């Protein structure tokens, strides 16, 4: 099984509860089987067989939601959306009628973990792929999952799907994603869950240095690698879109707000306004989850009313840089009705 996270702690270390008494370490995904075209791990790509379980609050899960939309996998791979607030049994389907996921028939994602491995002592995390016929968890390997959507699920892509992991650019995409993961995607968590000043500062410095470097990189190019959208953009976007709403205040990542950086703000708005990105974002779920679940760093559970989100829909002018968002492909169609983000979560 591939190790998905080079900086990983042992399985079972629960990332979002890792504040308070010990340094923040992100856990390695314990279930790392892959769903592939040839089914070599026992899980062949197939329409209507698997269910993607996500939280709209979670940046790692949001990667999968965006990639599924851009690639047009909605008809082949159904999606379950958890309550943004976990209880002591973790992610639950309390937004669904009778508190049960209508396809899997379960109340807690942990039931799929138990079906796969009885007595699994580790944390339950999203994103997760569950095998519908057996009810078993297949994978919670957030690093590999979207790469497999791009490269293994191709038979089920919509026509006009973009190539999000083009072979010619893979080395560069991997390099950019590794830096973004370490300093940005995970950097905000290391700052937010730091348990002493040194630990906080050692995340804060590299985070903002990396954001400065990314802003330089994006000054004259529309996307991170090549002239089309790739997996690298998806991974940076999921952190940027949460930046002012939660990371700036709740995680103390406050050298500047995203909206104060002209390049990164325009880049993030451009992606937000691209079909498949902003139409998956629920700011209500994001804010509820971070401010109410992480009681170690926000003991009152008060959810701030700001920031003003209307700026997300203002002009970004990034089209002046050129670029071909979908390469030789086309944008995805509208969001399926059942998956529309409610008005409460939109700018
Ligand atoms: N699967 C990975 C990353 C995904 C992840 O951390 N997801 C978070 C939500 S953003 C999660 O589900 N954490 C477990 C929890 O909050 O109970 C892991 O185990 O660390």
């Amino acid at each position: 099984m591939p190790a998905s996270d080079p900086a990983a702690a042992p399985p079972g270390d629960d990332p979002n509860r890792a504040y308070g008494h010990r340094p923040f370490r992100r856990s390695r995904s314990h279930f790392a089987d892959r769903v592939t075209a040839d089914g070599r791990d026992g899980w062949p790509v197939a329409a209507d067989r698997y269910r993607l379980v996500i939280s709209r609050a979670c940046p790692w899960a949001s990667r999968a939601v965006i990639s599924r939309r851009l690639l047009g996998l909605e008809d082949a791979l159904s999606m379950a959306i958890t309550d943004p607030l976990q209880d002591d049994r973790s992610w639950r389907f309390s937004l669904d009628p009778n508190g049960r996921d209508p396809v899997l028939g379960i109340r807690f994602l942990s039931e799929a973990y138990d079906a796969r491995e009885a007595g699994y002592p580790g944390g339950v995390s999203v994103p997760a792929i569950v095998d519908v016929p057996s009810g078993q968890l297949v994978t919670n390997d957030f690093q590999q999952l979207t790469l497999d959507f791009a490269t293994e699920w191709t038979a089920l892509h919509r026509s006009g799907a973009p190539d999000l992991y083009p072979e010619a650019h893979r080395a560069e995409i991997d390099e950019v994603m590794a830096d973004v993961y370490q300093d940005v995607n995970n950097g905000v968590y290391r700052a937010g869950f730091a348990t002493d000043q040194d630990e906080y500062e050692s995340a804060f410095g590299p985070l903002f240095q990396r954001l400065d470097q990314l802003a330089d990189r994006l000054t004259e190019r529309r996307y991170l690698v090549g002239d089309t959208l790739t997996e690298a953009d998806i991974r940076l976007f999921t952190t940027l879109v949460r930046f002012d709403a939660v990371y700036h205040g709740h995680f103390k990542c406050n050298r500047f707000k995203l909206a104060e950086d002209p390049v990164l703000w325009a880049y993030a708005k451009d992606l937000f306004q691209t079909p498949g990105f902003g139409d998956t974002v629920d700011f209500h779920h994001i804010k509820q989850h971070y401010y109410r679940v992480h009681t170690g760093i926000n003991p009152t559970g008060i959810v701030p009313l700001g920031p003003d989100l209307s700026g997300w829909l203002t002009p970004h002018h990034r089209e002046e840089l050129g670029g071909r968002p979908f390469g030789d492909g086309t944008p995805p169609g509208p969001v399926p009705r059942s998956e529309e983000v409610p008005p409460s979560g939109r700018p």
Side-chain angles (χ1 to χ4, degrees):
M1 288 185 185
S4 59
D5 176 352
D13 199 11
D14 182 342
N16 282 348
R17 307 248 159 73
Y19 45 75
H21 303 293
R22 61 205 162 102
F24 173 70
R25 304 277 303 279
R26 180 160 298 284
S27 64
R28 161 179 302 175
S29 298
H30 180 71
F31 299 95
D33 279 3
R34 292 174 57 190
V35 179
T36 56
D38 65 4
R40 57 188 176 273
D41 288 351
W43 310 105
V45 166
D48 298 325
R49 171 165 178 180
Y50 305 99
R51 190 145 170 92
L52 175 66
V53 180
I54 62 106
S55 159
R56 293 222 191 259
C58 173
W60 320 102
S62 297
R63 284 180 188 179
V65 183
I66 294 169
S67 134
R68 168 178 173 270
R69 248 208 41 78
L70 295 175
L71 298 171
L73 288 170
E74 294 109 315
D75 287 341
L77 173 67
S78 69
M79 184 169 81
I81 302 172
T82 60
D83 192 315
L85 305 179
Q86 300 120 293
D87 69 7
D88 56 4
R89 289 182 64 184
S90 191
W91 299 106
R92 53 195 176 141
F93 299 106
S94 25
L95 303 180
D96 291 301
N98 304 317
R100 279 185 195 279
D101 178 70
V103 172
L104 297 170
I106 57 178
R107 294 173 59 221
F108 296 93
L109 176 56
S110 60
E111 294 171 59
Y113 279 64
D114 290 343
R116 177 68 192 274
E117 184 178 314
Y120 165 64
V124 172
S125 67
V126 287
I129 287 190
V130 179
D131 175 47
V132 176
S134 67
Q136 291 186 2
L137 177 80
V138 175
T139 175
N140 68 341
D141 188 347
F142 68 102
Q143 297 279 57
Q144 188 61 44
L145 203 137
T146 46
L147 299 178
D148 285 342
F149 283 176
T151 59
E152 298 285 341
W153 288 68
T154 45
L156 299 175
H157 288 180
R158 68 180 169 90
S159 68
D163 184 354
L164 297 173
Y165 197 44
E167 286 215 55
H169 292 298
R170 276 188 198 172
E172 193 181 352
I173 293 173
D174 288 347
E175 198 183 322
V176 171
M177 293 195 307
D179 290 341
V180 166
Y181 174 80
Q182 178 174 293
D183 296 332
V184 181
N185 299 147
N186 206 34
V188 293
Y189 278 87
R190 285 194 291 119
F193 289 137
T195 53
D196 63 43
Q197 189 70 27
D198 286 347
E199 198 191 333
Y200 164 68
E201 290 182 15
S202 68
F204 186 99
L207 163 64
F208 282 95
Q209 276 160 24
R210 184 66 63 196
L211 290 177
D212 287 341
Q213 188 216 56
L214 290 164
D216 286 346
R217 183 182 181 99
L218 290 163
T219 299
E220 291 188 4
R221 49 194 304 166
R222 189 158 175 198
Y223 302 114
L224 283 171
V225 179
D227 68 346
T228 62
L229 289 163
T230 66
E231 174 80 22
D233 298 295
I234 298 175
R235 293 186 181 195
L236 180 56
F237 174 77
T238 56
T239 295
L240 295 184
V241 79
R242 287 163 176 73
F243 207 84
D244 291 357
V246 286
Y247 301 144
H248 182 270
H250 183 62
F251 277 179
K252 305 184 183 77
C253 297
N254 61 357
R255 206 186 92 203
F256 54 76
K257 294 196 189 96
L258 178 69
E260 291 166 349
D261 185 283
V263 174
L264 293 177
W265 179 222
Y267 167 78
K269 286 197 293 186
D270 183 9
L271 296 186
F272 189 90
Q273 294 170 31
T274 300
F277 284 82
D279 55 31
T280 68
V281 175
D282 188 325
F283 285 105
H284 178 69
H285 278 210
I286 290 171
K287 286 170 57 177
Q288 290 292 312
H289 169 74
Y290 281 88
Y291 287 106
R292 291 181 60 189
V293 170
H294 305 155
T295 50
I297 49 180
N298 188 33
T300 63
I302 291 172
V303 183
L305 293 176
D308 176 6
L309 300 173
S310 56
W312 282 103
L313 302 177
T314 59
H316 51 76
H317 303 293
R318 296 277 296 178
E319 61 286 338
E320 292 162 20
L321 294 172
R324 303 178 308 130
F326 295 91
D328 296 329
T330 54
V335 180
R337 280 297 288 267
S338 60
E339 295 181 6
E340 279 176 7
V341 173
S344 59
R346 297 190 219 149

